[in-house]
Amino acid sequence: MTSQNEPAGPRPLRAVPDDGYTDWEAVYQDNADWVYRTLFARVGNRADAEDLTAEVFLAALRPLRLTASVGEVRAYLRTTARTVLAAHWRETLGREITSIEEDIEQPPDSEEAISNAPARVAHVLESLPDRYRQILELRFLQGNSIKESAAELGISVANAKVLQHRALRLAAQVNDGGQS
């Protein structure tokens, strides 16, 4: 026999109340997955997506109110993610790229389904001159320092920095479709 307060049939599971969150742990548990997946879809690698997700929650921790509704919290986290992503691309590429669609409700279930970044990277790298491709592969795919990359290419560190800067600019243009 069910009481007056219990609905008939199985109750849908909900980690947080519809009107808000009980604590910061609830905010994190309910939102970390979609924030991570959204950022992973934009940056294309797990390490950066994890770092950026942590930055989003750290940036939102102080100004975000626990009294805000679930929708307000998600909107604030989406805006914070856009800002963190813009700072990441500004630092990495020397320009802002801030497109996080407002209508994202539920990201796909697997990382493979949400990221075509490896194919985009391969296309961009194939479109670059050899020296530009080599410096980007050494720096960002192999994780070498600028000094290690310069030594492997047989050039000065200053030259490697200039080469990397120019390669990133051209790669951004290729990715935007400005050049092929």
Side-chain angles (χ1 to χ4, degrees):
M1 178 169 206
T2 63
S3 72
Q4 291 176 303
N5 294 340
E6 292 180 333
R11 290 182 2 198
L13 296 177
R14 177 93 175 129
V16 295
D18 289 333
D19 59 343
Y21 293 99
T22 57
D23 57 21
W24 288 110
E25 181 67 21
V27 171
Y28 181 80
Q29 290 298 323
D30 192 44
N31 295 290
D33 188 55
W34 73 260
V35 170
Y36 168 80
R37 290 180 184 283
T38 299
L39 293 170
F40 182 87
R42 291 345 177 255
V43 298
N45 71 69
R46 179 174 284 137
D48 284 345
E50 289 172 356
D51 290 347
L52 294 172
T53 300
E55 283 184 46
V56 168
F57 282 96
L58 287 173
L61 184 62
R62 189 170 298 213
L64 188 61
R65 298 171 290 118
L66 278 177
T67 57
S69 71
V70 171
E72 291 170 327
V73 168
R74 289 182 180 159
Y76 188 80
L77 288 172
R78 187 174 290 112
T79 301
T80 304
R82 183 182 301 116
T83 303
V84 166
L85 186 61
H88 168 75
W89 287 127
R90 188 172 44 250
E91 182 180 312
T92 304
L93 296 176
R95 56 186 276 193
E96 286 187 33
I97 301 171
T98 58
S99 66
I100 294 179
E101 294 80 21
E102 293 296 328
D103 58 353
I104 295 177
E105 284 298 318
Q106 288 295 328
D109 290 334
S110 70
E111 291 174 357
E112 292 78 21
I114 63 172
S115 177
N116 63 353
R120 287 192 328 257
V121 168
H123 167 72
V124 169
L125 288 174
E126 289 170 5
S127 301
L128 298 176
D130 285 342
R131 295 296 269 182
Y132 286 4
R133 181 184 43 75
Q134 289 170 340
I135 190 73
L136 294 182
E137 286 175 345
L138 290 170
R139 290 286 289 130
F140 300 108
L141 298 181
Q142 295 180 20
N144 292 357
S145 69
I146 195 74
K147 188 176 181 180
E148 293 167 333
S149 300
E152 189 158 329
L153 292 173
I155 58 177
S156 69
V157 171
N159 191 352
K161 288 179 181 180
V162 170
L163 192 62
Q164 176 183 307
H165 177 76
R166 290 178 181 167
L168 287 172
R169 293 264 180 198
L170 183 57
Q173 290 174 353
V174 168
N175 190 47
D176 288 343
Q179 294 188 10
S180 19

